[in-house]
Amino acid sequence: MARKLTDALKGQDLDFWIDWEGIPPTVDWWEEIQKGIEEADIFLFLISPDSANSKVCKREIEHAVQNGKRLIPVVVRDVTATEVPYELSSLNWIFLREADDFNPAFGKLITAIKTDYAWAQAHRQLQVKALEWDRSNHENSFLLRGKELQSAELQLATNSSKEPHPTDLQRAYVLRSRQTADRQRRIITFMAIGAAIAMTGLAIFGFVQARLATERATLSRAGELAAQSVALRDRNFPVSLLLSVEAFKTRDTVQTRSALVDDIQASPGLLAYLTRNPSRVDSVAFSPDGKILASGGGDNKIILWDVGTGQPIGQPLKKHRNWIRSLAFAPDGKILASGGNDGSVILWDLKTSQPIGQPLKAKKGVVSSVAFTPDGKILASGHADGTLILWDVRTHQPLGQPLRGHTSWISSLAISPDGKTLASGSEDHTIILWDIKTQQPIDQPLSAHSRTILSLAFSPDGKMLASGSEDNTVVLWDAARRRPIGQPLRGHTKFVGSVAFSPDGKLLASGGYDRIIILWEVATRQPIGQPLRGHTDVIHSVTFSADGKMLASGSEDGTIILWDVATALHPTLEPGAFISQVLREHAKPVNSVAFSPDGRNLASGDNDGTLILWDVSTLLNISIKTKRPIGLALQDHTNVVSSLAFTPDGKILASGSSDGTVILWDVSAAHNTGAKTEQAVKRTLTGNGDFITTIAFSPDGKTLAAGAGNSSILLWDVKTGRLIGQPLPGHTNIV
């Protein structure tokens, strides 16, 4: 398959390097492979059971990631999800197995390769130069200068959010280049100042140049910090926030202010980081009274947190011999159940912080999920061998035989509020509903996902079941009819690792491998507000507190975040607060802005003769429509829009322009995205041909006044569009 693929790449005029050829016997083979990876624009990895388990292939992937290469995984022989290196597991795979249709799959591969290919080439060129500098002990002669440096800075600033992402080495290389260039510039400036001691005129000139150089260096530094902040916002929010603060402190500009305010608004509901976990957090759970939060993960320990103070309670609970995958509180809050990779389920007495009896042992492997029935008498556990076990909590014994129905790993469990139904999700892409009393499946398995089911949750009334999957979607199911409700919810760009309903059933939270949490309104099945950002790695678990006021999330980054749900849904604005929404629809400088009398609309006009109407309510609510104009862009002027004004009733918008006209616009027609510009034009008023500088309506809205460039004032009858009398004289210059 590798040879077939390389032959096809030749047909696309694509140059490639593959490590089966081109390494002379006398050459260090690993150095040659490293060089091949470093000098490539794209890194294709052919996935097979052999390559997935190869230590050398693992080193190759790590070297590609270290050098910021865009990874494209190509499956040539089937592997299980657990075999694939972590760096490839969350990416979209292209299948080129012997049984697959080669041409369509190869077409997808070419599309993936050519996406942002110019940036991939520029990224490679910059990385090769940065590596040469790094391997030469940071010798200054290898640094960028002049236009080459400016081009590199522009590339990093404009492509920071694209794949492949800039590497830390590239940023350090460009930053050192800029610092050295600025230092050289300052040296030249100081030399000019020294020479100017004998020549007063040259001394003044040199001083001015030095100030300008320092100013440019400061602005460059502030801009670079702001650009780095934007690049890191989705991947490392805490560092992004620190960088935007430093950028703003360095210099207050539109760019640095925008970066800072966007960071502040990126996670409006973030209450606190809980950071005592040294490793990944796989599961979080609130106690029924909402006062305690339990977390467990890769360090084999359970930490109990005081929600009020954000501090750990006592010492971690330690009995598991491998990482902890799932936690669940008993309904009375006295017992905590934990399931782990060591194949055991432990019941903890929260009063003594000690295990109750011996661990509950399954026959095989990993315990992926645990859940209590509402009465607390039964505990369900899901296992890696595809079985479920129902345990008698009092006796610690299984209730009958293991439940068998899935053909692969059980990844999630959920028990209905009435305690009658158990839902199980599996790596086999299906969900099975079980009758807990009879321990038999209810009807056929539910199938709507195309990949592993990672999380399940019943709504508080038990009428709905939510499922999150590796296919990046959430499906809402009618639990009684056992069929999906509408289309899958799409908003995540990677696996959906966890789902949870709010206690009132009105909200659904989903946490993803794309490091964001989305809050969905269950009734409309639409996202509310903006995604919650704060984690720097995969989100494995989300859960609501019993009162629904808080949401907790656990992540691969080793942190737990507490979110204020009300603030996340409706960010509040204190009196006098700086409301910053940077609206960027205009392509030219904006000359005039005006609010409608009811405050619902904002109008803006620019140098290109374009007007835009904005819906103010979406700007304040920070909804998914934030920063989008309403209706159409109004383009009937042929020159600068110099002034805007609404009539007192807000039904008409007037715009004055340097083209010598005033246009009256029908606001309701302008709201209609299906309308044309001419349909929104109510009337065009013409005066004496001179440019209009300012306009104003009379309090009754019947008269419009306009100041002109020829020192006069014009009055129009709004109803008829006719001039009233002669222009008013008196001024001796532009009004």
Side-chain angles (χ1 to χ4, degrees):
M1 183 55 70
R3 295 188 183 280
K4 186 175 182 180
L5 180 59
T6 53
D7 289 340
L9 289 173
K10 291 177 183 177
Q12 295 289 324
D13 291 329
L14 289 172
D15 188 21
F16 61 89
W17 187 90
I18 186 165
D19 59 1
W20 70 40
E21 60 184 21
I23 304 179
T26 59
V27 175
D28 184 310
W29 65 272
W30 178 241
E31 286 186 1
E32 194 70 5
I33 287 177
Q34 286 181 306
K35 181 180 178 184
I37 293 172
E38 291 164 4
E39 295 180 355
D41 297 326
I42 310 290
F43 181 87
L44 306 186
F45 187 85
L46 307 190
I47 299 177
S48 68
D50 300 305
S51 67
N53 290 290
S54 166
K55 292 182 179 179
V56 173
C57 290
K58 175 67 174 174
R59 290 175 66 191
E60 292 181 354
I61 294 173
E62 290 172 349
H63 194 67
V65 171
Q66 180 183 350
N67 283 274
K69 300 299 176 181
R70 184 191 299 163
L71 305 181
I72 301 180
V74 180
V75 179
V76 296
R77 282 193 287 138
D78 284 326
V79 294
T80 62
T82 55
E83 290 180 285
V84 178
Y86 170 76
E87 293 87 350
L88 304 178
S89 62
S90 61
L91 300 177
N92 287 326
W93 298 355
I94 295 174
F95 291 87
L96 276 175
R97 301 161 298 190
E98 288 186 0
D100 293 320
D101 191 340
F102 181 86
N103 289 332
F106 182 73
K108 292 181 181 179
L109 176 60
I110 293 301
T111 299
I113 289 173
K114 293 187 176 181
T115 300
D116 294 325
Y117 191 64
W119 162 234
Q121 290 178 308
H123 183 282
R124 179 255 302 164
Q125 292 167 357
L126 183 58
Q127 183 68 9
V128 169
K129 291 178 181 178
L131 286 168
E132 187 178 18
W133 168 72
D134 189 50
R135 290 164 180 168
S136 302
N137 295 321
H138 296 182
E139 172 59 42
N140 284 352
S141 62
F142 291 92
L143 293 175
L144 302 173
R145 291 175 176 80
K147 291 185 178 180
E148 193 176 28
L149 173 57
Q150 294 175 1
S151 175
E153 289 175 325
L154 180 62
Q155 289 283 4
L156 290 184
T158 57
N159 296 292
S160 57
S161 61
K162 296 180 181 179
E163 291 281 352
H165 293 297
T167 65
D168 291 338
L169 177 60
Q170 288 174 346
R171 293 194 180 92
Y173 177 56
V174 172
L175 177 59
R176 176 65 67 83
S177 297
R178 170 53 62 195
Q179 290 172 337
T180 302
D182 289 342
R183 185 164 55 251
Q184 292 172 347
R185 188 183 296 113
R186 286 194 295 272
I187 291 172
I188 294 171
T189 302
F190 291 144
M191 290 175 63
I193 293 174
I197 294 175
M199 296 173 288
T200 305
L202 289 178
I204 295 174
F205 176 77
F207 176 74
V208 171
Q209 288 298 104
R211 290 290 300 272
L212 289 175
T214 302
E215 175 69 9
R216 285 195 295 268
T218 302
L219 286 173
S220 175
R221 174 63 176 162
E224 183 179 345
L225 289 169
Q228 290 175 353
S229 170
V230 173
L232 288 173
R233 185 169 298 136
D234 291 343
R235 293 185 290 122
N236 194 331
F237 177 73
V239 174
S240 172
L241 185 57
L242 290 171
L243 285 170
S244 63
V245 170
E246 186 64 25
F248 182 74
K249 288 167 60 181
T250 301
R251 182 54 52 91
D252 181 0
T253 67
V254 171
Q255 182 185 12
T256 60
R257 183 177 295 222
S258 175
L260 177 58
V261 174
D262 284 350
D263 264 342
I264 292 170
Q265 293 181 339
S267 293
L270 200 156
L271 280 176
Y273 279 97
L274 310 182
T275 57
R276 299 294 179 88
N277 294 81
S279 184
R280 57 184 282 172
V281 177
D282 280 81
S283 184
V284 290
F286 277 106
S287 61
D289 61 8
K291 295 181 180 180
I292 298 174
L293 179 72
S295 65
D299 61 351
N300 313 343
K301 302 173 186 176
I302 300 169
I303 297 179
L304 300 179
W305 303 86
D306 184 313
V307 174
T309 65
Q311 297 298 315
I313 302 172
Q315 296 299 313
L317 310 183
K318 297 184 288 186
K319 282 295 180 181
H320 283 285
R321 296 192 304 276
N322 208 323
W323 92 54
I324 297 163
R325 283 190 171 269
S326 184
L327 298 170
F329 279 93
D332 61 6
K334 297 179 180 180
I335 298 174
L336 176 69
S338 58
N341 269 20
D342 57 6
S344 68
V345 177
I346 298 178
L347 298 179
W348 301 87
D349 184 327
L350 294 182
K351 186 175 182 180
T352 64
S353 297
Q354 294 297 320
I356 302 172
Q358 295 299 313
L360 313 183
K361 281 286 188 179
K363 291 183 178 179
K364 295 183 180 179
V366 174
V367 178
S368 57
S369 188
V370 292
F372 281 99
T373 54
D375 59 10
K377 295 180 179 179
I378 298 175
L379 177 72
S381 60
H383 301 266
D385 64 352
T387 64
L388 299 93
I389 299 177
L390 298 179
W391 303 88
D392 185 314
V393 174
R394 184 179 61 85
T395 65
H396 289 203
Q397 295 299 314
L399 296 171
Q401 296 298 312
L403 310 186
R404 303 181 185 277
H406 288 291
T407 60
S408 188
W409 182 301
I410 303 292
S411 50
S412 183
L413 298 178
I415 294 178
S416 61
D418 61 8
K420 296 180 180 180
T421 305
L422 169 66
S424 58
S426 169
E427 195 176 42
D428 64 12
H429 310 174
T430 68
I431 301 168
I432 297 179
L433 298 181
W434 304 84
D435 185 313
I436 292 179
K437 184 176 181 180
T438 64
Q439 299 188 20
Q440 294 297 317
I442 304 172
D443 210 346
Q444 297 298 312
L446 311 184
S447 179
H449 289 290
S450 60
R451 298 189 70 177
T452 301
I453 314 295
L454 293 179
S455 183
L456 296 171
F458 275 101
S459 61
D461 60 8
K463 294 181 179 180
M464 280 189 287
L465 176 70
S467 57
S469 167
E470 286 187 358
D471 63 11
N472 308 348
T473 69
V474 176
V475 174
L476 289 177
W477 302 83
D478 184 320
R481 298 182 179 181
R482 295 180 289 284
R483 63 188 185 191
I485 302 172
Q487 295 298 313
L489 310 185
R490 301 183 185 276
H492 290 282
T493 59
K494 294 184 179 180
F495 300 171
V496 180
S498 184
V499 292
F501 281 97
S502 61
D504 60 8
K506 295 180 179 180
L507 299 176
L508 177 72
S510 60
Y513 282 33
D514 51 7
R515 312 182 192 97
I516 65 171
I517 298 169
I518 299 178
L519 294 178
W520 306 84
E521 184 176 40
V522 174
T524 63
R525 302 172 62 254
Q526 294 296 320
I528 305 177
Q530 58 185 342
L532 307 183
R533 304 178 187 276
H535 286 295
T536 61
D537 211 328
V538 170
I539 297 172
H540 288 296
S541 182
V542 294
T543 182
F544 282 94
S545 59
D547 59 9
K549 294 181 179 180
M550 279 193 292
L551 178 73
S553 55
S555 166
E556 187 95 10
D557 62 14
T559 66
I560 300 154
I561 296 181
L562 296 180
W563 307 87
D564 184 293
V565 175
T567 304
L569 294 175
H570 305 290
T572 56
L573 296 171
E574 297 296 332
F578 173 51
I579 308 170
S580 175
Q581 293 292 339
V582 182
L583 313 178
R584 297 188 175 92
E585 290 294 325
H586 285 285
K588 298 291 183 179
V590 177
N591 289 282
S592 184
V593 291
F595 277 105
S596 61
D598 60 8
R600 295 179 180 176
N601 296 321
L602 173 68
S604 57
D606 66 24
N607 271 7
D608 199 29
T610 300
L611 284 77
I612 293 179
L613 276 178
W614 306 86
D615 185 336
V616 175
S617 64
T618 62
L619 303 181
L620 297 183
N621 290 336
I622 314 183
S623 73
I624 56 172
K625 296 181 180 178
T626 295
K627 304 183 182 178
R628 298 299 304 167
I630 55 177
L632 47 86
L634 308 176
Q635 296 172 313
D636 222 40
H637 286 295
T638 59
N639 210 324
V640 174
V641 177
S642 55
S643 186
L644 299 169
F646 283 91
T647 53
D649 61 8
K651 294 181 179 179
I652 297 175
L653 170 67
S655 58
S657 171
S658 295
D659 62 12
T661 66
V662 176
I663 298 179
L664 302 182
W665 304 89
D666 185 324
V667 174
S668 61
H671 276 67
N672 182 5
T673 55
K676 297 180 180 179
T677 297
E678 55 265 25
Q679 292 175 307
V681 176
K682 195 173 183 69
R683 182 172 284 110
T684 300
L685 311 179
T686 56
N688 54 12
D690 212 336
F691 61 88
I692 304 297
T693 57
T694 182
I695 57 177
F697 281 101
S698 60
D700 60 8
K702 295 180 180 180
T703 305
L704 177 70
N710 62 359
S711 313
S712 66
I713 297 171
L714 307 173
L715 298 176
W716 279 280
D717 184 309
V718 174
K719 185 175 182 180
T720 64
R722 296 176 181 173
L723 281 169
I724 302 172
Q726 295 299 313
L728 308 182
H731 289 291
T732 60
N733 210 321
I734 295 171
V735 181

